[in-house]
Each structure stands twice: as C-alpha cells, then as structure tokens.
Amino acid sequence: MSEIQKYVSLMRLTQKGLAELTDSAKRRKVSEDRVAALGGRSIAFYALLGTYDFMQVFEMPSNEAMMQYVLTARRDGHVEPLILPAFDTETYGQILNAVG
C-alpha cells in the first residue's frame, strides 16, 4: 500500500474567517505552504455550497504530519475542519483483496 496518505478536509468558516473573508486567497497560499513544509501536497481546493464552505484534498507523509497541520490551522481560528482519511481506487482494491 502507498506510503503517502490522502486526506479530505471539509471546512466551515468561523466567525473570524467570515469577518476576514477578503483574505481567504492569502490564507489558502499560507495553507499550501504549510502543507509543503510538512512534506505534503495540496491536490485540490474547492469552495462549496451547503453545510461546508470549502473542501481540500491533501497528500501527507503521515497522520502525525496531518495532525500538526490541522492543529496549526485550527489555532489560526479561520476554519473548523473535518479531516477524513481517503483511499484511491488502487489502495481500496488492495484493501478489498486483503478482506477476501
């Protein structure tokens, strides 16, 4: 199975994030730089309609790196993220084969 782990982050803006909405593009760049500094990569970023405001897909080298990123992002106070581990179709196929 792959060493690089994938994650989906569903984010809701906090009151602080809404109040500083015009700085969103700048904060996104900061986020991508933080991910890269931890050995990861931001694959995709989308603004959403509905319960969540944004969705970001990451590749990170470990759960520990992801946790470090999430704690730093939460400390900034602009979003409340929901982090979900994600499996590509190849990895999911390997899991299915292991289950039998």
Coordinates of all heavy atoms in Angstrom, one line a residue:
M1 N 0.8 -1.2 0.0 CA 0.0 0.0 0.0 C 0.9 1.2 0.0 O 2.0 1.2 0.4 CB -0.9 0.0 1.2 CG -2.0 -1.1 1.1 SD -3.2 -0.9 2.3 CE -3.8 -2.6 2.4
S2 N 0.3 2.3 -0.4 CA 1.0 3.6 -0.6 C 1.5 4.2 0.7 O 0.9 4.1 1.7 CB 0.1 4.6 -1.3 OG 0.7 5.8 -1.4
E3 N 2.7 4.7 0.6 CA 3.3 5.4 1.8 C 2.7 6.8 2.0 O 2.4 7.2 3.2 CB 4.8 5.5 1.7 CG 5.5 4.2 1.8 CD 7.0 4.4 1.8 OE1 7.5 5.5 2.1 OE2 7.7 3.4 1.3
I4 N 2.4 7.5 0.9 CA 1.8 8.8 1.0 C 0.3 8.6 1.3 O -0.4 7.8 0.7 CB 1.9 9.6 -0.3 CG1 3.4 9.9 -0.6 CG2 1.1 10.9 -0.3 CD1 4.1 10.8 0.4
Q5 N -0.2 9.3 2.3 CA -1.6 9.2 2.7 C -2.4 10.3 2.2 O -1.9 11.5 2.1 CB -1.7 9.1 4.2 CG -0.9 7.9 4.8 CD -0.9 7.8 6.3 OE1 -1.9 8.0 6.9 NE2 0.2 7.4 6.8
K6 N -3.6 10.1 1.8 CA -4.5 11.1 1.3 C -5.6 11.4 2.3 O -6.0 10.6 3.1 CB -5.2 10.6 0.0 CG -4.1 10.5 -1.1 CD -4.7 9.8 -2.3 CE -3.7 9.6 -3.4 NZ -2.7 8.6 -3.1
Y7 N -6.0 12.7 2.3 CA -7.0 13.2 3.3 C -7.9 14.2 2.6 O -7.4 14.9 1.7 CB -6.3 13.9 4.5 CG -5.3 13.1 5.2 CD1 -4.0 13.0 4.8 CD2 -5.8 12.4 6.3 CE1 -3.1 12.2 5.6 CE2 -4.8 11.6 7.1 CZ -3.5 11.5 6.7 OH -2.6 10.8 7.4
V8 N -9.1 14.2 3.0 CA -10.1 15.2 2.6 C -10.4 16.1 3.8 O -10.7 15.5 4.9 CB -11.4 14.6 2.0 CG1 -12.4 15.6 1.7 CG2 -11.0 13.8 0.7
S9 N -10.4 17.4 3.6 CA -10.7 18.3 4.7 C -12.0 19.0 4.3 O -12.0 19.7 3.3 CB -9.6 19.2 5.0 OG -10.0 20.2 6.0
L10 N -13.1 18.9 5.0 CA -14.3 19.7 4.9 C -14.2 20.8 5.9 O -14.0 20.5 7.1 CB -15.5 18.8 5.1 CG -15.7 17.7 4.1 CD1 -16.8 16.8 4.5 CD2 -15.9 18.2 2.7
M11 N -14.3 22.1 5.5 CA -14.1 23.2 6.4 C -15.3 24.1 6.4 O -15.9 24.4 5.4 CB -12.9 24.0 5.9 CG -11.6 23.2 6.0 SD -10.3 24.0 5.1 CE -10.5 23.4 3.5
R12 N -15.6 24.6 7.6 CA -16.6 25.6 7.8 C -15.9 26.9 8.3 O -15.0 26.8 9.2 CB -17.6 25.2 8.9 CG -18.5 24.1 8.5 CD -19.6 23.9 9.6 NE -20.4 22.8 9.2 CZ -20.8 21.8 10.0 NH1 -20.3 21.8 11.3 NH2 -21.5 20.9 9.6
L13 N -16.3 28.0 7.7 CA -15.7 29.3 8.2 C -16.2 29.6 9.6 O -17.4 29.3 9.9 CB -16.1 30.4 7.3 CG -15.4 30.4 5.9 CD1 -16.2 31.4 5.0 CD2 -14.0 30.9 6.1
T14 N -15.3 30.0 10.5 CA -15.7 30.5 11.8 C -16.1 32.0 11.7 O -16.0 32.6 10.6 CB -14.5 30.4 12.7 OG1 -13.4 31.3 12.3 CG2 -14.0 29.0 12.9
Q15 N -16.5 32.6 12.8 CA -16.9 34.0 12.7 C -15.7 34.8 12.3 O -15.8 35.8 11.6 CB -17.4 34.4 14.1 CG -18.8 34.0 14.4 CD -19.8 34.4 13.3 OE1 -20.4 33.6 12.6 NE2 -20.0 35.7 13.2
K16 N -14.5 34.4 12.8 CA -13.3 35.1 12.5 C -13.0 35.0 10.9 O -12.6 36.0 10.3 CB -12.1 34.6 13.2 CG -10.7 35.3 12.9 CD -9.6 34.7 13.8 CE -8.3 35.3 13.5 NZ -7.2 34.8 14.3
G17 N -13.2 33.8 10.4 CA -13.0 33.6 9.0 C -14.0 34.4 8.1 O -13.6 34.9 7.1
L18 N -15.2 34.5 8.6 CA -16.2 35.3 7.9 C -15.8 36.8 7.9 O -16.0 37.5 6.9 CB -17.6 35.1 8.4 CG -18.2 33.7 8.1 CD1 -19.5 33.5 8.9 CD2 -18.6 33.7 6.6
A19 N -15.4 37.2 9.1 CA -15.0 38.6 9.3 C -13.8 39.0 8.4 O -13.7 40.2 8.0 CB -14.7 39.0 10.7
E20 N -12.9 38.1 8.2 CA -11.7 38.3 7.4 C -11.8 37.6 6.0 O -10.8 37.2 5.5 CB -10.5 37.9 8.2 CG -10.4 38.6 9.5 CD -9.3 38.1 10.4 OE1 -8.4 37.3 9.9 OE2 -9.3 38.5 11.6
L21 N -13.0 37.5 5.4 CA -13.2 36.8 4.2 C -12.4 37.3 3.0 O -11.9 36.5 2.2 CB -14.7 36.9 3.8 CG -15.2 35.9 2.9 CD1 -15.0 34.5 3.3 CD2 -16.7 36.1 2.6
T22 N -12.1 38.5 2.9 CA -11.3 39.1 1.8 C -9.9 38.6 1.8 O -9.2 38.6 0.8 CB -11.3 40.6 1.8 OG1 -10.8 41.1 3.0 CG2 -12.7 41.1 1.5
D23 N -9.4 38.0 2.9 CA -8.0 37.5 3.0 C -8.0 36.0 2.7 O -6.9 35.4 2.8 CB -7.4 37.7 4.4 CG -7.2 39.2 4.6 OD1 -7.0 39.9 3.7 OD2 -7.1 39.6 5.8
S24 N -9.1 35.4 2.2 CA -9.2 34.0 2.0 C -8.1 33.5 1.0 O -7.5 32.4 1.3 CB -10.5 33.5 1.5 OG -11.5 33.6 2.5
A25 N -7.8 34.2 -0.1 CA -6.8 33.7 -1.0 C -5.4 33.7 -0.4 O -4.7 32.8 -0.7 CB -6.9 34.6 -2.3
K26 N -5.2 34.7 0.4 CA -3.9 34.7 1.1 C -3.7 33.6 2.1 O -2.7 33.0 2.1 CB -3.7 36.1 1.8 CG -2.3 36.4 2.3 CD -2.1 37.7 3.0 CE -3.2 38.7 2.8 NZ -3.1 39.9 3.6
R27 N -4.8 33.3 2.8 CA -4.7 32.2 3.8 C -4.6 30.8 3.1 O -3.9 29.9 3.6 CB -6.0 32.2 4.7 CG -5.9 33.3 5.7 CD -6.9 33.1 6.8 NE -8.3 33.0 6.3 CZ -9.1 34.0 6.1 NH1 -8.7 35.2 6.3 NH2 -10.3 33.7 5.7
R28 N -5.2 30.7 1.9 CA -5.1 29.5 1.2 C -3.6 29.2 0.8 O -3.1 28.1 0.9 CB -6.0 29.5 -0.1 CG -5.9 28.2 -0.9 CD -6.9 28.2 -2.0 NE -6.5 27.1 -2.9 CZ -6.4 27.2 -4.2 NH1 -6.8 28.4 -4.7 NH2 -6.0 26.3 -4.9
K29 N -2.9 30.3 0.4 CA -1.5 30.2 0.0 C -0.7 29.8 1.2 O 0.2 28.9 1.2 CB -1.0 31.5 -0.6 CG 0.5 31.6 -0.8 CD 0.9 30.7 -2.0 CE 2.4 31.0 -2.3 NZ 3.3 29.9 -2.1
V30 N -1.0 30.4 2.4 CA -0.3 30.0 3.6 C -0.5 28.5 3.9 O 0.4 27.8 4.3 CB -0.8 30.9 4.8 CG1 -0.3 30.4 6.1 CG2 -0.3 32.3 4.6
S31 N -1.8 28.1 3.7 CA -2.1 26.7 4.0 C -1.3 25.8 3.1 O -0.7 24.8 3.5 CB -3.6 26.4 3.7 OG -3.9 25.1 3.7
E32 N -1.2 26.1 1.8 CA -0.4 25.2 0.9 C 1.1 25.2 1.2 O 1.7 24.2 1.1 CB -0.7 25.7 -0.6 CG -2.1 25.4 -1.0 CD -2.4 25.9 -2.4 OE1 -1.6 26.7 -3.0 OE2 -3.5 25.6 -2.9
D33 N 1.6 26.3 1.6 CA 3.0 26.4 2.1 C 3.2 25.6 3.3 O 4.3 24.9 3.4 CB 3.4 27.9 2.3 CG 3.5 28.7 1.0 OD1 3.5 28.1 -0.1 OD2 3.5 29.9 1.1
R34 N 2.3 25.6 4.3 CA 2.4 24.8 5.5 C 2.4 23.3 5.1 O 3.2 22.5 5.7 CB 1.3 25.1 6.5 CG 1.5 26.4 7.2 CD 0.3 26.7 8.1 NE 0.5 27.9 8.8 CZ -0.5 28.5 9.5 NH1 -1.7 27.9 9.5 NH2 -0.3 29.6 10.2
V35 N 1.5 22.9 4.3 CA 1.4 21.5 3.9 C 2.8 21.1 3.2 O 3.3 20.0 3.5 CB 0.2 21.3 2.9 CG1 0.3 19.9 2.2 CG2 -1.1 21.5 3.6
A36 N 3.3 21.9 2.3 CA 4.6 21.6 1.6 C 5.7 21.5 2.6 O 6.6 20.6 2.5 CB 4.8 22.6 0.6
A37 N 5.7 22.3 3.6 CA 6.8 22.3 4.6 C 6.8 21.0 5.4 O 7.8 20.6 6.0 CB 6.7 23.6 5.5
L38 N 5.6 20.4 5.5 CA 5.5 19.1 6.3 C 5.7 17.9 5.4 O 5.4 16.8 5.8 CB 4.1 19.1 7.0 CG 3.9 20.1 8.1 CD1 2.5 20.2 8.5 CD2 4.8 19.7 9.3
G39 N 6.1 18.2 4.1 CA 6.3 17.1 3.2 C 5.1 16.6 2.4 O 5.1 15.6 1.8
G40 N 4.0 17.4 2.5 CA 2.8 17.1 1.8 C 2.5 17.9 0.6 O 3.4 18.7 0.1
R41 N 1.3 17.8 0.1 CA 0.9 18.5 -1.2 C -0.6 18.7 -1.1 O -1.3 17.8 -0.8 CB 1.3 17.6 -2.4 CG 1.0 18.1 -3.7 CD 1.6 17.3 -4.8 NE 1.0 16.1 -5.1 CZ 0.2 15.9 -6.2 NH1 0.0 16.9 -7.0 NH2 -0.4 14.7 -6.4
S42 N -1.0 19.9 -1.5 CA -2.4 20.2 -1.7 C -2.8 19.8 -3.1 O -2.2 20.3 -4.1 CB -2.7 21.6 -1.4 OG -4.1 21.9 -1.6
I43 N -3.7 18.8 -3.3 CA -4.1 18.3 -4.6 C -5.2 19.2 -5.2 O -5.2 19.4 -6.4 CB -4.5 16.9 -4.5 CG1 -3.3 16.0 -4.0 CG2 -5.0 16.4 -5.9 CD1 -3.7 14.6 -3.7
A44 N -6.2 19.5 -4.4 CA -7.3 20.3 -4.9 C -8.0 21.1 -3.8 O -7.9 20.8 -2.6 CB -8.4 19.3 -5.5
F45 N -8.6 22.2 -4.2 CA -9.3 23.1 -3.3 C -10.6 23.5 -4.0 O -10.5 24.0 -5.1 CB -8.4 24.2 -2.9 CG -9.0 25.1 -1.9 CD1 -8.8 24.9 -0.5 CD2 -9.9 26.2 -2.2 CE1 -9.4 25.7 0.5 CE2 -10.5 27.0 -1.3 CZ -10.2 26.8 0.1
Y46 N -11.7 23.4 -3.3 CA -13.0 23.9 -3.8 C -13.8 24.7 -2.8 O -13.8 24.3 -1.6 CB -13.8 22.7 -4.3 CG -13.2 21.8 -5.3 CD1 -12.5 20.7 -5.0 CD2 -13.3 22.2 -6.7 CE1 -11.9 19.9 -6.0 CE2 -12.8 21.4 -7.7 CZ -12.1 20.3 -7.3 OH -11.5 19.5 -8.3
A47 N -14.5 25.7 -3.3 CA -15.5 26.4 -2.5 C -16.8 25.6 -2.7 O -17.0 25.1 -3.8 CB -15.6 27.8 -2.9
L48 N -17.6 25.5 -1.6 CA -18.7 24.6 -1.7 C -20.0 25.4 -1.3 O -19.9 26.4 -0.5 CB -18.6 23.5 -0.7 CG -17.4 22.6 -0.8 CD1 -17.3 21.6 0.4 CD2 -17.4 21.8 -2.1
L49 N -21.1 24.9 -1.8 CA -22.4 25.3 -1.3 C -22.9 24.3 -0.3 O -22.7 23.1 -0.5 CB -23.4 25.4 -2.5 CG -23.1 26.5 -3.5 CD1 -24.1 26.3 -4.7 CD2 -23.3 27.9 -2.9
G50 N -23.6 24.7 0.7 CA -24.2 23.7 1.6 C -23.6 23.9 3.0 O -23.2 24.9 3.4
T51 N -23.5 22.8 3.7 CA -23.1 22.7 5.1 C -21.6 23.2 5.3 O -21.3 23.8 6.3 CB -23.2 21.3 5.7 OG1 -24.6 20.9 5.5 CG2 -22.9 21.2 7.2
Y52 N -20.8 22.8 4.4 CA -19.3 23.2 4.4 C -19.0 24.3 3.4 O -19.6 24.3 2.4 CB -18.5 21.9 4.2 CG -18.6 21.0 5.4 CD1 -19.5 19.9 5.3 CD2 -17.8 21.1 6.5 CE1 -19.7 19.1 6.4 CE2 -17.9 20.2 7.6 CZ -18.9 19.2 7.5 OH -19.0 18.4 8.6
D53 N -18.1 25.1 3.8 CA -17.7 26.2 2.9 C -16.6 25.9 1.9 O -16.5 26.4 0.8 CB -17.2 27.4 3.8 CG -18.3 27.9 4.7 OD1 -19.4 28.2 4.2 OD2 -18.1 27.9 5.9
F54 N -15.7 25.0 2.3 CA -14.5 24.6 1.5 C -14.2 23.1 1.6 O -14.6 22.5 2.6 CB -13.3 25.3 1.9 CG -13.4 26.8 1.9 CD1 -13.4 27.5 3.0 CD2 -13.5 27.5 0.7 CE1 -13.6 28.9 3.1 CE2 -13.7 28.9 0.7 CZ -13.7 29.6 1.9
M55 N -13.6 22.6 0.6 CA -13.1 21.2 0.6 C -11.7 21.2 0.1 O -11.4 21.9 -1.0 CB -14.0 20.3 -0.2 CG -13.7 18.8 0.0 SD -12.6 18.0 -1.3 CE -13.3 18.4 -2.8
Q56 N -10.7 20.6 0.7 CA -9.4 20.5 0.3 C -8.9 19.0 0.3 O -9.2 18.3 1.3 CB -8.5 21.4 1.1 CG -7.1 21.6 0.6 CD -6.3 22.7 1.3 OE1 -6.8 23.3 2.3 NE2 -5.2 23.1 0.7
V57 N -8.2 18.6 -0.7 CA -7.6 17.3 -0.7 C -6.1 17.4 -0.6 O -5.5 18.2 -1.3 CB -8.0 16.6 -2.1 CG1 -7.4 15.1 -2.1 CG2 -9.5 16.5 -2.3
F58 N -5.6 16.6 0.3 CA -4.1 16.6 0.6 C -3.5 15.2 0.4 O -4.2 14.2 0.5 CB -3.9 16.9 2.1 CG -4.5 18.1 2.6 CD1 -5.7 18.2 3.2 CD2 -3.7 19.3 2.6 CE1 -6.2 19.4 3.7 CE2 -4.2 20.5 3.1 CZ -5.5 20.5 3.7
E59 N -2.2 15.3 0.1 CA -1.3 14.1 0.3 C -0.4 14.5 1.4 O 0.2 15.6 1.4 CB -0.5 13.8 -0.9 CG -1.3 13.2 -2.1 CD -0.5 12.9 -3.3 OE1 0.6 13.4 -3.4 OE2 -1.0 12.1 -4.1
M60 N -0.2 13.6 2.4 CA 0.7 13.9 3.5 C 1.5 12.6 3.8 O 1.0 11.5 3.6 CB -0.1 14.3 4.8 CG -0.8 15.7 4.7 SD 0.3 17.1 4.5 CE 0.5 17.5 6.2
P61 N 2.7 12.8 4.3 CA 3.5 11.6 4.6 C 3.1 10.8 5.8 O 3.5 9.6 5.9 CB 4.9 12.2 4.8 CG 4.7 13.6 5.3 CD 3.4 14.0 4.6
S62 N 2.3 11.3 6.7 CA 1.9 10.6 7.9 C 0.7 11.2 8.6 O 0.4 12.4 8.3 CB 3.0 10.5 8.9 OG 3.3 11.8 9.3
N63 N 0.0 10.5 9.4 CA -1.0 11.0 10.3 C -0.5 12.1 11.2 O -1.1 13.1 11.5 CB -1.6 9.9 11.2 CG -2.6 9.0 10.4 OD1 -3.2 9.5 9.4 ND2 -2.7 7.8 10.8
E64 N 0.8 11.9 11.6 CA 1.4 12.9 12.5 C 1.6 14.3 11.8 O 1.3 15.3 12.4 CB 2.8 12.4 13.0 CG 2.7 11.2 14.0 CD 2.5 9.9 13.3 OE1 2.5 9.8 12.0 OE2 2.3 8.9 14.0
A65 N 2.0 14.2 10.5 CA 2.2 15.5 9.8 C 0.8 16.1 9.6 O 0.7 17.3 9.7 CB 2.8 15.2 8.4
M66 N -0.2 15.3 9.3 CA -1.6 15.9 9.1 C -2.1 16.5 10.4 O -2.6 17.6 10.4 CB -2.5 14.8 8.6 CG -3.9 15.3 8.2 SD -3.7 16.3 6.7 CE -5.0 17.4 6.8
M67 N -1.8 15.8 11.5 CA -2.3 16.4 12.8 C -1.6 17.7 13.1 O -2.2 18.6 13.6 CB -2.0 15.4 13.9 CG -2.4 15.9 15.3 SD -4.2 16.1 15.3 CE -4.6 14.9 16.6
Q68 N -0.3 17.8 12.8 CA 0.4 19.0 13.0 C -0.2 20.1 12.2 O -0.4 21.3 12.7 CB 1.9 18.8 12.7 CG 2.8 20.1 13.0 CD 4.2 19.8 12.7 OE1 4.7 18.7 12.7 NE2 5.0 20.9 12.6
Y69 N -0.5 19.8 10.9 CA -1.1 20.8 10.1 C -2.4 21.3 10.6 O -2.7 22.5 10.7 CB -1.2 20.3 8.6 CG -2.1 21.2 7.8 CD1 -1.6 22.4 7.3 CD2 -3.4 20.9 7.6 CE1 -2.4 23.2 6.6 CE2 -4.2 21.8 6.9 CZ -3.7 22.9 6.4 OH -4.5 23.8 5.7
V70 N -3.3 20.3 11.0 CA -4.6 20.6 11.4 C -4.6 21.5 12.7 O -5.3 22.5 12.8 CB -5.4 19.3 11.7 CG1 -6.7 19.6 12.4 CG2 -5.7 18.7 10.3
L71 N -3.7 21.1 13.6 CA -3.7 21.9 14.9 C -3.2 23.3 14.6 O -3.7 24.3 15.2 CB -2.7 21.2 15.9 CG -3.3 19.9 16.5 CD1 -2.2 19.3 17.3 CD2 -4.5 20.2 17.3
T72 N -2.3 23.5 13.7 CA -1.8 24.9 13.3 C -2.9 25.6 12.7 O -3.2 26.8 13.0 CB -0.6 24.8 12.4 OG1 0.4 24.1 13.1 CG2 -0.1 26.2 12.1
A73 N -3.6 25.0 11.8 CA -4.8 25.7 11.1 C -5.9 26.0 12.0 O -6.4 27.1 12.0 CB -5.3 24.8 9.9
R74 N -6.2 25.1 13.0 CA -7.2 25.4 13.9 C -6.8 26.6 14.9 O -7.7 27.4 15.2 CB -7.6 24.2 14.7 CG -8.3 23.2 13.9 CD -8.9 22.1 14.7 NE -10.0 22.6 15.5 CZ -10.5 22.1 16.6 NH1 -9.9 21.0 17.1 NH2 -11.5 22.7 17.2
R75 N -5.6 26.6 15.2 CA -5.1 27.7 16.1 C -5.3 29.0 15.5 O -5.6 30.0 16.1 CB -3.6 27.4 16.5 CG -3.1 28.4 17.5 CD -1.7 28.1 17.9 NE -0.8 28.0 16.7 CZ 0.4 27.5 16.7 NH1 0.9 27.0 17.8 NH2 1.1 27.4 15.6
D76 N -5.2 29.1 14.1 CA -5.4 30.4 13.4 C -6.8 30.9 13.6 O -7.0 32.1 13.5 CB -5.0 30.2 11.9 CG -3.6 30.0 11.7 OD1 -2.7 30.3 12.6 OD2 -3.2 29.6 10.5
G77 N -7.8 29.9 13.7 CA -9.1 30.3 14.0 C -10.0 30.7 12.9 O -11.1 31.2 13.1
H78 N -9.6 30.5 11.6 CA -10.5 30.9 10.5 C -11.4 29.8 10.0 O -12.5 30.1 9.5 CB -9.6 31.3 9.3 CG -8.8 32.5 9.6 ND1 -7.5 32.5 10.0 CD2 -9.1 33.8 9.6 CE1 -7.0 33.7 10.2 NE2 -8.0 34.5 10.0
V79 N -11.1 28.5 10.3 CA -12.0 27.4 9.9 C -12.0 26.4 10.9 O -11.1 26.2 11.7 CB -11.5 26.8 8.5 CG1 -11.6 27.7 7.4 CG2 -10.1 26.2 8.6
E80 N -13.1 25.6 10.9 CA -13.2 24.4 11.7 C -13.2 23.2 10.7 O -14.2 23.1 9.9 CB -14.5 24.4 12.5 CG -14.5 25.2 13.8 CD -13.5 24.7 14.8 OE1 -13.3 23.4 14.9 OE2 -12.9 25.5 15.5
P81 N -12.1 22.4 10.7 CA -12.0 21.4 9.7 C -12.6 20.0 10.2 O -12.5 19.7 11.4 CB -10.5 21.3 9.4 CG -9.9 21.6 10.7 CD -10.9 22.7 11.3
L82 N -13.1 19.2 9.3 CA -13.4 17.8 9.5 C -12.4 17.1 8.6 O -12.5 17.2 7.3 CB -14.8 17.5 9.1 CG -15.2 16.0 9.1 CD1 -15.1 15.4 10.5 CD2 -16.6 15.9 8.5
I83 N -11.5 16.3 9.1 CA -10.5 15.6 8.4 C -10.9 14.1 8.2 O -11.2 13.4 9.2 CB -9.1 15.7 9.1 CG1 -8.7 17.1 9.4 CG2 -8.0 14.9 8.2 CD1 -8.6 18.0 8.2
L84 N -10.8 13.7 6.9 CA -11.2 12.3 6.6 C -10.1 11.7 5.8 O -9.6 12.2 4.8 CB -12.5 12.3 5.7 CG -13.7 13.0 6.3 CD1 -14.7 13.2 5.2 CD2 -14.3 12.2 7.4
P85 N -9.6 10.5 6.3 CA -8.6 9.8 5.5 C -9.3 9.3 4.2 O -10.5 9.0 4.3 CB -8.2 8.6 6.4 CG -8.7 8.9 7.8 CD -9.8 9.9 7.6
A86 N -8.6 9.3 3.1 CA -9.2 8.9 1.9 C -8.3 7.8 1.2 O -7.1 7.8 1.4 CB -9.3 10.1 1.0
F87 N -8.9 7.0 0.4 CA -8.2 5.9 -0.3 C -8.5 5.9 -1.7 O -9.7 6.0 -2.1 CB -8.7 4.5 0.3 CG -8.5 4.4 1.8 CD1 -9.5 4.7 2.7 CD2 -7.2 4.0 2.3 CE1 -9.3 4.6 4.0 CE2 -7.0 3.9 3.7 CZ -8.1 4.2 4.5
D88 N -7.5 6.0 -2.6 CA -7.7 6.0 -4.0 C -8.2 4.6 -4.4 O -8.2 3.6 -3.6 CB -6.4 6.4 -4.8 CG -5.2 5.5 -4.5 OD1 -5.4 4.3 -4.2 OD2 -4.1 6.0 -4.6
T89 N -8.6 4.4 -5.7 CA -9.2 3.1 -6.1 C -8.2 2.0 -6.0 O -8.6 0.9 -5.7 CB -9.8 3.3 -7.5 OG1 -8.8 3.7 -8.4 CG2 -11.0 4.2 -7.5
E90 N -6.9 2.3 -6.3 CA -5.9 1.2 -6.2 C -5.8 0.7 -4.8 O -5.8 -0.5 -4.5 CB -4.6 1.7 -6.8 CG -3.5 0.6 -6.7 CD -2.1 1.1 -7.2 OE1 -2.1 2.1 -7.9 OE2 -1.2 0.4 -6.9
T91 N -5.6 1.6 -3.9 CA -5.4 1.2 -2.5 C -6.7 0.5 -1.9 O -6.6 -0.5 -1.2 CB -5.1 2.4 -1.6 OG1 -3.9 3.1 -2.1 CG2 -4.9 2.1 -0.2
Y92 N -7.9 1.1 -2.3 CA -9.1 0.4 -1.9 C -9.2 -1.0 -2.5 O -9.6 -1.9 -1.8 CB -10.3 1.3 -2.3 CG -11.6 0.8 -1.9 CD1 -11.9 0.7 -0.5 CD2 -12.6 0.3 -2.8 CE1 -13.1 0.2 0.0 CE2 -13.8 -0.2 -2.3 CZ -14.1 -0.2 -1.0 OH -15.3 -0.7 -0.5
G93 N -8.8 -1.2 -3.7 CA -8.8 -2.5 -4.3 C -7.9 -3.5 -3.5 O -8.2 -4.6 -3.3
Q94 N -6.7 -3.0 -3.1 CA -5.8 -3.8 -2.2 C -6.5 -4.2 -0.9 O -6.3 -5.3 -0.4 CB -4.5 -3.1 -2.0 CG -3.7 -2.9 -3.3 CD -2.5 -1.9 -3.1 OE1 -2.3 -1.4 -2.0 NE2 -1.7 -1.8 -4.1
I95 N -7.2 -3.2 -0.3 CA -7.9 -3.5 0.9 C -8.9 -4.6 0.7 O -9.1 -5.5 1.5 CB -8.5 -2.2 1.5 CG1 -7.4 -1.2 1.9 CG2 -9.4 -2.5 2.7 CD1 -7.8 0.2 2.2
L96 N -9.7 -4.4 -0.4 CA -10.7 -5.4 -0.7 C -10.1 -6.8 -0.9 O -10.7 -7.8 -0.4 CB -11.5 -5.0 -1.9 CG -12.5 -3.8 -1.8 CD1 -13.1 -3.5 -3.1 CD2 -13.5 -4.1 -0.7
N97 N -9.0 -6.9 -1.6 CA -8.3 -8.2 -1.8 C -7.9 -8.8 -0.5 O -8.0 -10.0 -0.3 CB -7.2 -8.0 -2.8 CG -7.6 -7.8 -4.2 OD1 -8.7 -8.1 -4.6 ND2 -6.7 -7.2 -5.0
A98 N -7.4 -8.0 0.4 CA -7.0 -8.4 1.7 C -8.2 -9.0 2.6 O -8.0 -9.9 3.3 CB -6.2 -7.4 2.5
V99 N -9.3 -8.3 2.4 CA -10.5 -8.8 3.1 C -11.0 -10.1 2.6 O -11.5 -11.0 3.3 CB -11.6 -7.7 3.0 CG1 -12.9 -8.2 3.6 CG2 -11.2 -6.4 3.8
G100 N -10.9 -10.3 1.2 CA -11.2 -11.5 0.6 C -12.6 -11.5 0.2 O -13.6 -11.9 0.2

